[in-house]
Amino acid sequence: MRAGDILACDWDRGRGPFRVRGAPIGSCAMTDFVQVSTATETREQAVELAQSVVRDRLAAGAQIIGPVTSVFWHLGEFGTGEEWQLLLKTRADRYPALEAHLIDHHPWDNPEVAAVPIVAGAERCLSWLKENTEPVSGG
């Protein structure tokens, strides 16, 4: 497998984890974990959003980076601004719930929410990630 193959992944929305584009469904390479990114206008919004997803075990952890400069098109206009980026680690099967939570609780009407597969990681780190994204039963 070439490095570019790992980057060419698709989310099979509603049916499961990422798979390498073009791989046969029965023999596709899969990953169990994803890193999800979004951004907010303020540090306070980023912290609040991060706390809510980690508290609800939709992500095992969050990192907040910022401020970062963003260059974009929005409502037909070219813009530049400062944002606070969130990086969230979760299981691929928890992504749909995490995405829904981010969209429902985000201060923007149309926030960026994007996921990329974690194709490798330290075994203890991935175990921690899996353990801390288990839904809490009865709660």
Side-chain angles (χ1 to χ4, degrees), residues 22-107:
I25 300 253
S27 65
C28 61
M30 296 201 181
T31 181
D32 294 330
F33 306 101
V34 294
Q35 181 168 276
V36 179
S37 64
T38 191
T40 62
E41 186 175 2
T42 68
R43 179 185 183 280
E44 292 74 22
Q45 290 170 337
V47 170
E48 186 176 323
L49 205 51
Q51 288 175 336
S52 70
V53 298
V54 173
R55 186 182 306 111
D56 289 353
R57 295 190 177 264
L58 296 170
Q63 294 161 323
I64 299 168
I65 304 161
V68 297
T69 300
S70 183
V71 179
F72 52 86
W73 283 98
H74 181 68
L75 300 175
E77 295 191 21
F78 183 77
T80 302
E82 279 192 356
E83 299 176 345
W84 291 79
Q85 186 177 38
L86 284 82
L87 298 177
L88 309 160
K89 276 71 66 191
T90 193
R91 297 188 335 233
D93 66 339
R94 296 289 277 157
Y95 176 76
L98 174 58
E99 179 187 275
H101 181 96
L102 289 172
I103 290 171
D104 288 346
H105 293 87
H106 203 286

